[in-house]
Amino acid sequence: MACPRIIVYRSGHERIGEILQEMNCPGEIITARTLDEFREVVPSAEIIFGWKIPPHLFRKAHQLRWIQSMGAGVDDLVSNPYLPSTVIITRIVDQFGPPIAEFVFAELLAHVRKLDRLRQQQQDHLWEPFAVGTLRNQRIGIAGLGSIGQELVRKARAFDMVVYGLSSVPKPEMVDKAFSSAEWIPFVESLDYLVITLPVTEKTRGIVGEQVLRAMKPEALIINVGRGEVIDQKALVDALTTGQIAGAVLDVFETEPLPSGHILWDLPGVRISPHIAGPSVDEYVAQYFVTNVQRYINHEPLYGWVDRQRGY
Ligand code: OXD
């Protein structure tokens, strides 16, 4: 096979191209530093290694055979009308479980041990003991049992939690109680914490809406590290304002960045982070890609191959 031309683009991560060279990635590597540069070079690309590229910029990608996403979610690529079904899409799998699980447990521990209150008391030089909770024996429900969900299960067990899991095909061997995607209401009813790791697809868009939120306990917390669109954001705001649930830890949103005037910023019980639960590390994603390029050249199946019908 002739040496494939690879275009690399990710805003703020311009060194990835150099890292690929240092790793002796086969192929001719061209780094686009801006979207204008990307637009210029895209017609000659056989492979693209990128992240968050506006869909219309693929209009002239006539030579494209494969796009490797630098992240886990590929909803923008799967729905891109300029990527015909002959173009292979791959995503990064097995890299984001540990950092995302750390993020989720940092937030859960901060919540249950009331760390914000402690720090506030310290600032106020106030010595005032108070009661705190524990994660032990609390019920956590993990929606989505892919590599991220599985790592959450592992860490939840280390905290002696009761673990429920929901997945399209139930996985009773993995959790204390398994539910299918037709069983959202019984899944959430008794949870203390609902963690969403799901991608957005036709089946999951808005699935956590009024009905599901109404079925949750008023003390429950919802944590979203999957995709914002899985939760009906308006229904969530209503549930939080009326006290149907106690709070939400949100790393992902229907619109990103979350507009600065959005009501979610100031709602009590809401903790917001700018989509950083599972940061991609340049060296790790580059190594994943180099392995995949070698497989591409050898006509071997690629890691992280996306089934467009399924959406991930
Ligand atoms: C994602 C990512 O898909 O950050 O959200 O990788």
Side-chain angles (χ1 to χ4, degrees):
M1 178 184 277
C3 180
R5 178 173 271 207
I6 302 170
I7 311 291
V8 182
Y9 173 80
R10 179 169 193 169
S11 173
H13 293 249
E14 286 73 21
R15 228 185 73 70
I16 290 193
E18 281 166 44
I19 297 173
L20 292 175
Q21 312 266 20
E22 285 158 18
M23 289 177 172
N24 294 323
C25 178
E28 181 195 355
I29 293 162
I30 297 173
T31 297
R33 292 180 186 277
T34 62
L35 285 176
D36 279 339
E37 279 184 27
F38 180 83
R39 189 183 283 110
E40 254 172 53
V41 290
V42 74
S44 65
E46 176 172 341
I47 301 173
I48 292 173
F49 183 33
W51 180 244
K52 296 264 182 248
I53 301 168
H56 68 276
L57 290 187
F58 289 89
R59 200 173 332 168
K60 298 212 171 118
H62 301 306
Q63 313 285 327
L64 189 63
R65 308 260 316 266
W66 164 36
I67 172 156
Q68 167 74 61
S69 165
M70 292 191 196
V74 284
D75 37 287
D76 56 332
L77 298 176
V78 169
S79 62
N80 185 339
Y82 301 110
L83 290 177
S85 57
T86 46
V87 174
I88 302 164
I89 301 174
T90 54
R91 65 193 194 98
I92 306 271
V93 284
D94 293 341
Q95 281 194 3
F96 298 109
I100 289 183
E102 280 181 17
F103 171 85
V104 169
F105 280 91
E107 288 287 358
L108 291 184
L109 287 166
H111 170 76
V112 82
R113 303 298 305 221
K114 303 190 178 143
L115 295 189
D116 286 350
R117 179 166 168 189
L118 267 186
R119 292 291 77 83
Q120 187 57 52
Q121 287 194 185
Q122 180 177 354
Q123 257 182 19
D124 299 342
H125 296 197
L126 194 64
W127 183 279
E128 195 174 79
F130 55 85
V132 293
T134 169
L135 292 180
R136 185 157 186 262
N137 291 332
Q138 290 218 295
R139 201 164 290 174
I140 186 168
I142 298 159
L145 292 173
S147 60
I148 296 168
Q150 286 172 33
E151 186 59 22
L152 281 159
V153 171
R154 209 174 70 83
K155 293 209 159 93
R157 292 217 185 284
F159 284 105
D160 298 321
M161 300 183 83
V162 179
V163 188
Y164 285 9
L166 178 138
S167 43
S168 42
V169 178
K171 298 184 175 160
E173 68 290 357
M174 203 180 277
V175 288
D176 296 314
K177 204 160 174 187
F179 298 83
S180 78
S181 38
E183 297 174 305
W184 270 92
I185 304 293
F187 169 57
V188 300
E189 265 167 354
S190 63
L191 296 180
D192 299 299
Y193 305 107
L194 166 63
V195 187
I196 297 166
T197 73
L198 295 167
V200 61
T201 67
E202 275 172 25
K203 290 190 181 138
T204 63
R205 188 179 301 277
I207 189 83
V208 179
E210 212 181 306
Q211 262 195 321
V212 170
L213 291 162
R214 210 177 313 115
M216 292 179 71
K217 297 197 301 190
E219 309 79 36
L221 211 67
I222 195 163
I223 297 119
N224 193 2
V225 288
R227 276 292 178 267
E229 295 95 324
V230 173
I231 301 183
D232 173 344
Q233 218 164 264
K234 181 176 172 320
L236 176 66
V237 169
D238 289 347
L240 288 161
T241 343
T242 56
Q244 262 169 51
I245 59 169
V249 174
L250 305 171
D251 187 55
V252 287
F253 301 86
E254 278 174 1
T255 303
E256 293 181 11
L258 182 67
S260 65
H262 201 286
I263 185 173
L264 277 172
W265 286 105
D266 297 312
L267 276 188
V270 174
R271 295 172 73 96
I272 291 190
S273 53
H275 200 143
I276 48 149
S280 16
V281 177
D282 289 353
E283 280 73 13
Y284 292 176
V285 296
Q287 184 57 66
Y288 186 97
F289 179 62
V290 173
T291 307
N292 248 354
V293 175
Q294 272 148 359
R295 296 178 75 84
Y296 175 84
I297 288 171
N298 296 336
H299 302 286
E300 285 163 1
L302 301 182
Y303 291 126
W305 183 82
V306 171
D307 175 343
R308 287 183 184 226
Q309 295 306 320
R310 207 176 54 164
Y312 56 95

